[in-house]
Amino acid sequence: MVIKSYAKLNLYLAVLNKRKDNYHNIETLFERIDLHDTIALKKLPGKAIKIVCDHPAVPADTSNLCYKSAKLLQKSLGVNYGVEIKITKRIPVAAGLGGGSSNAAYTLIGLNKLWRLGLSKDKLARLGRLIGADVPFFIMNTPFAIATGRGDKIKPLARINK
């Protein structure tokens, strides 16, 4: 299974205050853009999770957000499948475009299909919050959204066609 993992821009960002968990409360307007990485998922026997990436700055160990996404599904749902996750990077690393969060989100979406878990977008978004603040935006699969809280409370914006 091959999935496009899109980048995002913050068109507006207000940092409101510091939270007790060391994050900040924010208000932001997200826009999903066409720039994307590619995530290829392949079932593996057992519960092995293997990360393969063509970019030297992307970890291929347990610190990788895609790894964390797969492990979260295995642990929280008792999944007994493994996966190879191949990431082809096009989104610049650490550029504020949400590449890691996007990869994590689309890994959750892809594994939901590959492993036939039948989870709703809302359930995937709740799980995604445990991985990173931007993850729910990508799971909601909307071109624009207002985000509040840590950036994890998403209100999709409807497109207006005239």
Side-chain angles (χ1 to χ4, degrees):
M1 172 182 296
V2 178
I3 304 165
K4 290 180 179 177
S5 175
Y6 293 96
K8 58 94 178 147
L9 295 175
N10 292 71
L11 299 178
Y12 164 80
L13 175 64
V15 179
L16 304 176
N17 54 39
K18 188 133 183 180
R19 300 161 46 114
K20 290 180 183 177
D21 60 7
N22 287 325
Y23 284 92
H24 288 88
N25 282 311
I26 66 167
E27 290 177 345
T28 190
L29 172 59
F30 285 140
E31 178 185 11
R32 186 186 62 219
I33 60 174
D34 289 337
L35 178 64
H36 68 276
D37 294 340
T38 303
I39 307 286
L41 303 172
K42 183 172 79 173
K43 267 189 182 179
L44 291 179
K47 293 176 77 170
I49 301 169
K50 180 180 178 185
I51 303 294
V52 178
C53 186
D54 62 345
H55 195 290
V58 176
D61 59 18
T62 60
S63 68
N64 183 286
L65 295 181
C66 294
Y67 181 96
K68 289 181 179 187
S69 293
K71 194 57 145 176
L72 179 63
L73 289 176
Q74 285 179 337
K75 282 182 135 180
S76 62
L77 300 171
V79 173
N80 291 314
Y81 303 116
V83 66
E84 177 184 272
I85 304 167
K86 183 178 180 186
I87 307 162
T88 304
K89 290 300 291 176
R90 291 181 194 87
I91 301 170
V93 176
L97 298 173
S101 294
S102 174
N103 293 169
Y106 286 101
T107 295
L108 288 170
I109 292 166
L111 290 177
N112 188 41
K113 291 177 186 173
L114 184 70
W115 291 345
R116 299 176 188 210
L117 302 175
L119 301 174
S120 68
K121 277 186 187 179
D122 287 337
K123 177 65 176 173
L124 286 172
R126 282 194 300 276
L127 289 168
R129 280 187 185 101
L130 302 172
I131 304 294
D134 292 349
V135 175
F137 167 69
F138 294 107
I139 289 172
M140 289 303 169
N141 195 30
T142 183
F144 295 94
I146 300 289
T148 57
R150 298 182 309 148
D152 60 338
K153 294 178 184 167
I154 305 299
K155 180 182 176 192
L157 297 177
R159 204 173 201 172
I160 300 171
N161 293 324
K162 291 188 178 190

